[in-house]
Amino acid sequence: MRILLVEDEHDLSSIIKKGLEEERYNVDTCFDGEDALFMSEEISYDAIILDIMLPKINGITLLRTIRSKGIATPVLMLTARDALEDKVKGLDTGADDYLTKPFEFNELLARLRALLRRNLTQRASVVKVRDLVLDTARKEARRKNVLISLTAKEYALLEYMVYNKNNVLSRTNISEHIYDSSFDLDSNVIDVFVSSLRKKLDNNHSIKLIKTVRGAGYMLTD
């Protein structure tokens, strides 16, 4: 899961980012509303954690803008403890939930998980591509009912490819989904991950699911 964290308090942002990364989320951070607007338009996030009090563009205006652009990413809004009006405005503008400061990190995690579960219910939890079965609730993949042992990054890559089957995914598409913005696009890590996943997925099977589209990227096809 890739999260955009928009919080102008650098120390707090660093603490939240570190905690989320320890929970295997990929986290991009920004510290003002203008950067957040740009990033939310350019990258498809699974959730946004958004502080209301931001420089340049405040959280309420930012949220109203991204919703007007059709961006439906779940938003967890951070508010001051006594700012009831801000909470109401946030929910009315399109926030999915809010959390008051100061907060316990475990509560932030629980609310984030709830938002992500709610969003995932819009997609089937078990997806089939030929004889491949992906169970997103269990985080498991099987071919011909044989469990495939995958690392966290390999599973993230496979899930992304399954939900985008028959679409060519560039290395940039893939890196934006499974890594944060600090990832070096010039490295060959994506090719290595795809190669590793292909071996686990397609070896010993006559039907090959992962195809290389020369000069464009990779595609999982049914």
Side-chain angles (χ1 to χ4, degrees), residues 168-169 171 198 211-219:
V168 178
L169 301 175
R171 290 168 181 79
R198 176 183 272 143
K211 299 186 183 302
T212 300
V213 182
R214 195 173 296 277
Y218 300 98
M219 177 172 61

Side-chain angles (χ1 to χ4, degrees), residues 13 18 26 30 42 46 52-53 76 93 99 116 120-121 133 145 160 172 175 181-182 201 212 222:
S13 176
K18 184 175 184 295
N26 294 316
C30 58
E42 292 297 311
D46 294 290
I52 283 185
M53 301 300 293
L76 173 61
T93 304
L99 187 60
L116 294 170
L120 283 172
T121 58
V133 178
N145 208 33
Y160 182 52
T172 301
S175 67
S181 56
S182 63
L201 200 65
T212 300
D222 60 3

Side-chain angles (χ1 to χ4, degrees), residues 80-121:
R81 179 172 293 279
D82 58 352
L84 177 60
E85 183 179 352
D86 285 342
K87 298 172 188 176
V88 173
K89 280 184 180 178
L91 292 171
D92 285 346
T93 304
D96 297 271
D97 198 1
Y98 66 85
L99 187 60
T100 55
K101 296 179 180 180
F103 52 82
E104 294 291 333
F105 183 71
N106 284 341
E107 183 179 3
L108 183 144
L109 275 181
R111 289 179 180 272
L112 182 60
R113 286 194 297 264
L115 283 188
L116 294 170
R117 281 198 304 270
R118 197 182 309 162
N119 198 42
L120 283 172
T121 58

Side-chain angles (χ1 to χ4, degrees), residues 6-17:
V6 191
E7 168 59 65
D8 66 325
E9 295 180 39
H10 287 243
D11 289 344
L12 178 58
S13 176
S14 179
I15 291 169
I16 295 174
K17 176 179 172 68

Side-chain angles (χ1 to χ4, degrees), residues 17 20 30-31 44 46-48 63 73 76 153 156 160 165 216:
K17 176 179 172 68
L20 290 176
C30 58
F31 307 100
S44 177
D46 294 290
I48 298 172
L63 180 57
T73 306
L76 173 61
K153 280 287 189 285
Y160 182 52
K165 66 180 181 180

